[in-house]
């Protein structure tokens, strides 16, 4: 099942069911108006939404209409929680090597995670708005899950049972603001502006064999200004799976329905697979040549993030954003 939220002038939008080929949609208002409401009582609403999905995929849904990603908000336009991890430890290791800093051994056994802003999440084609290019504008292609209620101290294997939906993420970073923030010892804030998500959120079964062991085993395709710069495999080198990440978030608290947990920037040790954020490319340049040469994004730049199935069909639709100046 694939779900999206259309812009309708309200903060939480209108929930729709989307066909498997992403061509058509049907409004779900007669069942449940918003995705958050559906997640709050998933066992009741999910079977009804699935019936509508089956009808849509079979061409029997009444009042079906053409699906347009440009009309989409984030699947969850505002969420109770957005917790982003760094499950691809290769990415962290490269950053530290470029700084000639030691890699703490516990980074391989205990996930890094920060709590991002979840009150203003972007749709797949919403602009990346920034006040200054000097901030160091970067994209970060990731995978995320949306959970139902997760009990405190859940075990990783049990945590996977609480995954309801998966999405793609562009976790935009303002790289030149981050060092000073981290230097204060209190984490990200200004360096992490609004995050964007794919047009649709999908139930795990939509991924078929590509979803196993709490990982998505498909390449993440990233284009920057129309040029392919990355195609790392999301399942390769993901040190912590989503069960482990959810369990980490729930170690000392309950995690409530509608919480989003991100994987962090997808990164493979095989550098021929390219990169999912500019910072990683700059780290590789620094390690090899002593200094980076690739610049961060400029006003007018674009980034496109997508995952395809084995038949070459888009699973989540594309995040396709442009960078614009504030008040442009």
């Amino acid at each position: 099942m694939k779900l999206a939220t259309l812009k309708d002038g309200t903060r939480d939008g209108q929930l729709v069911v989307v066909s498997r080929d992403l061509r058509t949609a049907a409004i779900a208002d007669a069942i449940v108006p918003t995705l958050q409401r559906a997640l709050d009582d998933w066992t009741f609403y999910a079977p009804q939404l699935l019936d509508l999905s089956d009808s849509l995929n079979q061409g029997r849904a009444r009042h079906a209409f053409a699906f347009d990603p440009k009309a989409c908000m984030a699947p969850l336009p505002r969420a109770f929680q957005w917790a982003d991890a760094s499950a691809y430890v290769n990415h962290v290791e490269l950053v530290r090597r470029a700084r000639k800093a030691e890699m703490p051994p516990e980074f391989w056994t205990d996930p890094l995670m920060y709590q991002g802003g979840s009150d203003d999440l972007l749709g797949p084609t919403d602009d990346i708005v920034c006040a200054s290019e000097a901030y160091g504008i970067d994209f970060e292609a990731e995978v995320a899950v949306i959970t139902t209620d997760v009990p405190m101290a859940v075990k990783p294997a049990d945590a996977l049972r609480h995954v309801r939906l998966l999405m793609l993420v562009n976790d935009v970073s303002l790289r030149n603001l981050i060092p000073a923030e981290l230097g204060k010892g209190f984490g990200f804030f200004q360096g992490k502006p609004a995050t964007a998500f794919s047009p649709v959120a999908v139930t795990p079964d939509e991924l078929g064999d590509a979803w196993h062991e709490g990982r998505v085993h498909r390449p993440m395709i990233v284009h920057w200004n129309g040029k392919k710069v990355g195609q790392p495999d999301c399942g390769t080198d993901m040190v912590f799976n989503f069960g482990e990440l959810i369990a980490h978030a729930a170690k000392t608290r309950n995690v409530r329905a509608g919480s989003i947990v991100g994987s962090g920037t997808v990164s493979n040790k095989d550098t021929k697979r390219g990169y999912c954020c500019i910072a990683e490319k700059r780290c590789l340049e620094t390690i090899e040549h002593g200094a980076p040469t690739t610049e961060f994004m400029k006003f007018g730049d674009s980034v496109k993030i997508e995952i395809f199935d084995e038949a070459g069909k888009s699973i989540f639709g594309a995040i396709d954003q442009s960078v614009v100046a504030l008040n442009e």
Side-chain angles (χ1 to χ4, degrees):
M1 179 167 60
K2 300 189 177 188
L3 302 173
T5 296
L6 300 186
K7 299 174 181 177
D8 68 351
T10 67
R11 291 182 185 272
D12 297 311
Q14 172 61 63
L15 180 64
V16 296
V17 175
V18 182
S19 61
R20 186 164 288 116
D21 60 10
L22 303 178
R23 292 182 179 179
T24 59
I27 292 175
D29 192 55
I31 301 170
V32 61
T34 67
L35 182 53
Q36 182 59 54
R37 184 82 66 82
L39 290 162
D40 286 338
D41 197 355
W42 187 257
T43 56
F44 178 73
Y45 290 118
Q48 300 174 64
L49 292 169
L50 183 58
D51 285 344
L52 179 55
S53 175
D54 289 342
S55 296
L56 188 63
N57 286 316
Q58 295 166 14
R60 297 186 291 103
R62 298 178 60 187
H63 310 302
F65 57 92
F67 178 63
D68 180 8
K70 293 180 181 178
C72 288
M73 306 171 79
L76 268 181
R78 50 180 177 170
F80 287 112
Q81 179 164 227
W82 160 227
D84 199 19
S86 194
Y88 299 86
V89 183
N90 177 66
H91 172 74
V92 182
E93 188 174 38
L94 285 174
V95 171
R96 297 187 75 88
R97 279 177 60 196
R99 289 176 13 213
K100 297 183 178 179
E102 274 193 45
M103 178 78 165
E106 62 268 22
F107 281 18
W108 293 98
T109 57
D110 189 30
L112 294 171
M113 184 173 286
Y114 81 94
Q115 197 162 36
S118 60
D119 56 325
D120 182 27
L121 303 178
L122 299 180
T125 64
D126 290 345
D127 290 332
I128 300 168
V129 181
C130 192
S132 173
E133 291 178 343
Y135 289 169
I137 308 164
D138 198 358
F139 53 82
E140 290 193 55
E142 309 181 11
V143 180
V145 299
I146 305 177
T147 75
T148 185
D149 288 325
V150 184
M152 187 190 310
V154 67
K155 300 298 182 184
D158 295 330
L160 280 176
R161 295 203 292 265
H162 297 278
V163 171
R164 290 294 172 263
L165 297 162
L166 294 99
M167 307 180 288
L168 302 184
V169 184
N170 182 15
D171 180 40
V172 178
S173 291
L174 303 179
R175 298 295 185 184
N176 294 338
L177 299 184
I178 288 175
E181 288 198 302
L182 294 182
K184 296 176 181 178
F186 218 55
F188 301 115
F189 199 87
Q190 293 176 339
K192 288 291 188 178
T195 305
F197 294 86
S198 52
V200 301
V202 311
T203 49
D205 61 286
E206 290 289 337
L207 290 160
D209 293 339
W211 172 252
H212 64 270
E213 298 179 339
R215 298 173 176 87
V216 175
H217 295 265
R218 295 298 303 161
M220 178 75 78
I221 310 300
V222 181
H223 288 82
W224 178 15
N225 293 333
K227 177 184 176 181
K228 185 191 288 186
V229 296
Q231 53 182 0
D233 184 80
C234 298
T236 302
D237 300 320
M238 187 180 184
V239 175
F240 305 103
N241 68 25
F242 277 109
E244 292 168 309
L245 297 181
I246 294 167
H248 181 84
K251 181 175 181 177
T252 59
R253 66 180 79 174
N254 296 312
V255 172
R256 293 306 187 187
S259 291
I260 304 171
V261 178
S263 67
T265 307
V266 178
S267 177
N268 287 174
K269 293 179 181 179
D270 181 3
T271 57
K272 294 179 182 178
R273 305 289 296 184
Y275 54 91
C276 283
C277 72
I278 302 169
E280 186 162 311
K281 172 66 170 174
R282 287 167 59 88
C283 286
L284 290 168
E285 292 169 346
T286 299
I287 293 167
E288 186 173 355
H289 304 295
T293 56
T294 301
E295 296 184 347
F296 290 116
M297 298 180 84
K298 304 296 185 183
F299 297 143
D301 279 11
S302 63
V303 60
K304 187 175 184 180
I305 298 167
E306 200 162 10
I307 289 180
F308 299 90
D309 64 17
E310 290 185 350
K313 296 179 180 178
S314 183
I315 298 173
F316 303 89
I319 297 174
D320 194 355
Q321 297 180 279
S322 296
V323 181
V324 302
L326 181 65
N327 300 323
E328 184 175 277

